[in-house]
Amino acid sequence: RASRPVITESNVAGLKPVARRGPSVPALFACGQRLAFDPTGTRLSALARRGNPLRWWDLETLSPEPMRTHESAAGMHSLAFPDAEQVLTVASANRSPQGLWRPRLVAFSTKDGAQVRERHLTHAVTRLAVSADGARVLLVPLEGDSPEVWDLKSWQPLRELMPMDLGVSVTACALS
């Protein structure tokens, strides 16, 4: 498996634009987009800072239009691709009886945008990261709660890590 490229201050000047993906979003949402590539590098997703909309593109086509757009993505904070078939995000509570007022780990199909899986979480999650093999996901909570490592095949928690100290704020995470 090839290593994933890292963009740094020293190499950013050498990057060349190859395409512009659209359509543009209102200025209210344009600032602070979270971007993620799938492991094959053929899909790109973007989640606006305020969680709306969630969009993804097939980079092998020449179309600037997204393959899918989820306008009802309000409350989503992070996204990641475990593989080229799914995009993961943490969504806000949906007031269902199974998890009244609890956030949800959600997987969408990259092909048709359908929700594939959902699991209510025990606490709010601000960041997530998928392992290089796409088998596990790290869920990083708000301060004071415990990060969790999940198995994506069983869709179950594997391990709860030590709680984070109050005042600790995680802005990004990665698994290697």
Side-chain angles (χ1 to χ4, degrees):
R1 183 175 175 110
S3 65
R4 295 182 184 179
V6 176
I7 299 171
T8 64
E9 285 184 39
S10 61
N11 68 10
V12 73
L15 297 176
K16 296 178 188 172
V18 294
R20 183 178 182 103
R21 301 296 175 192
S24 62
V25 294
L28 174 66
F29 300 115
C31 177
Q33 299 255 349
R34 289 187 172 84
L35 304 174
F37 286 95
D38 77 355
T40 65
T42 60
R43 289 191 171 78
L44 170 68
S45 63
L47 178 65
R49 182 177 59 149
R50 296 175 192 231
N52 192 15
L54 168 63
R55 305 175 296 166
W56 58 90
W57 295 264
D58 182 342
L59 298 178
E60 293 181 332
T61 68
L62 298 177
S63 173
E65 298 300 316
M67 292 174 61
R68 295 285 172 230
T69 298
H70 272 276
E71 295 293 343
S72 61
M76 294 182 187
H77 304 289
S78 293
L79 70 151
F81 285 95
D83 54 41
E85 307 300 317
Q86 297 179 68
V87 61
L88 292 179
T89 188
V90 175
S92 59
N94 62 359
R95 299 183 185 169
S96 76
Q98 293 82 22
L100 193 61
W101 305 107
R102 291 179 20 206
R104 303 166 291 136
L105 180 62
V106 179
F108 295 108
S109 165
T110 58
K111 293 189 187 309
D112 63 9
Q115 183 175 309
V116 180
R117 298 185 99 167
E118 173 186 75
R119 177 81 185 263
H120 289 88
L121 302 170
T122 57
H123 48 263
V125 171
T126 59
R127 299 288 177 261
L128 60 90
V130 174
S131 62
D133 63 2
R136 289 169 299 286
V137 64
L138 170 66
L139 302 176
V140 178
L142 290 171
E143 62 183 45
D145 288 321
S146 299
E148 295 179 336
V149 177
W150 281 51
D151 177 77
L152 289 175
K153 187 174 183 175
S154 68
W155 207 246
Q156 299 288 326
L158 287 175
R159 176 172 301 187
E160 187 173 285
L161 306 176
M162 294 291 294
M164 297 187 325
D165 293 335
L166 291 175
V168 171
S169 178
V170 176
T171 58
C173 61
L175 293 174
S176 61

